[in-house]
Amino acid sequence: HSIDMAPWARLLAQVLFTAGNVFVRAFTQALQQAQHQSASGGAKQAANKLMGKMDPGQARKILNMEQPYTAEQITKQFENIFKYNDPKVGGSYYLQCKAEHAKNTLHEELAKQWE
């Protein structure tokens, strides 16, 4: 005695099974990559990436700054880059966002130094 499935139900089951396999493979690959980064000393960098935080070295490159710097210098450099990348004058919103993340990262770094 076999159970007959409607053709659409069989198709749906097949799609769900395939999607599940793709998800499992992607999750396994991400886990292996995280383990590899952890083993190679990139654990903090991987954690920052997951949390949406920027590395201070990357932030300095984006804002074109070298230590030592003040909060005012960070803000001034950010404002210049932000204004230069205004989409209204042909700039890039993406680059404005990167500059803002860089500014926030360097301000946080300065605040930690004063703790």
Side-chain angles (χ1 to χ4, degrees):
H1 203 93
S2 67
I3 299 174
D4 288 329
M5 279 193 188
W8 63 268
R10 190 176 309 123
L11 180 62
L12 179 63
Q14 212 171 16
V15 167
L16 291 174
F17 181 75
T18 303
N21 280 342
V22 169
F23 175 77
V24 168
R25 266 190 257 129
F27 181 78
T28 304
Q29 186 178 7
L31 185 60
Q32 288 172 343
Q33 185 179 3
Q35 288 173 338
H36 175 72
Q37 285 180 337
S38 173
S40 66
K44 184 176 182 182
Q45 187 177 8
N48 281 345
K49 196 169 196 173
L50 286 173
M51 300 289 289
K53 293 190 176 186
M54 183 180 287
D55 177 65
Q58 182 184 11
R60 284 190 287 277
K61 285 181 185 176
I62 290 171
L63 293 181
N64 194 26
M65 301 194 74
E66 293 181 15
Q67 289 180 314
Y69 40 74
T70 64
E72 292 80 18
Q73 290 170 322
I74 294 168
T75 301
K76 183 177 180 187
Q77 186 68 0
F78 159 74
E79 287 171 352
N80 289 339
I81 291 172
F82 194 85
K83 186 172 135 185
Y84 181 78
N85 284 293
D86 187 344
K88 293 176 187 172
V89 293
S92 165
Y93 176 71
Y94 173 78
L95 292 177
Q96 283 185 322
C97 290
K98 280 292 201 184
E100 186 163 4
H101 285 295
K103 174 195 73 162
N104 293 340
T105 298
L106 294 183
H107 278 295
E108 286 174 20
E109 184 184 46
L110 278 181
K112 286 178 185 174
Q113 290 175 4
W114 288 98
E115 286 179 356

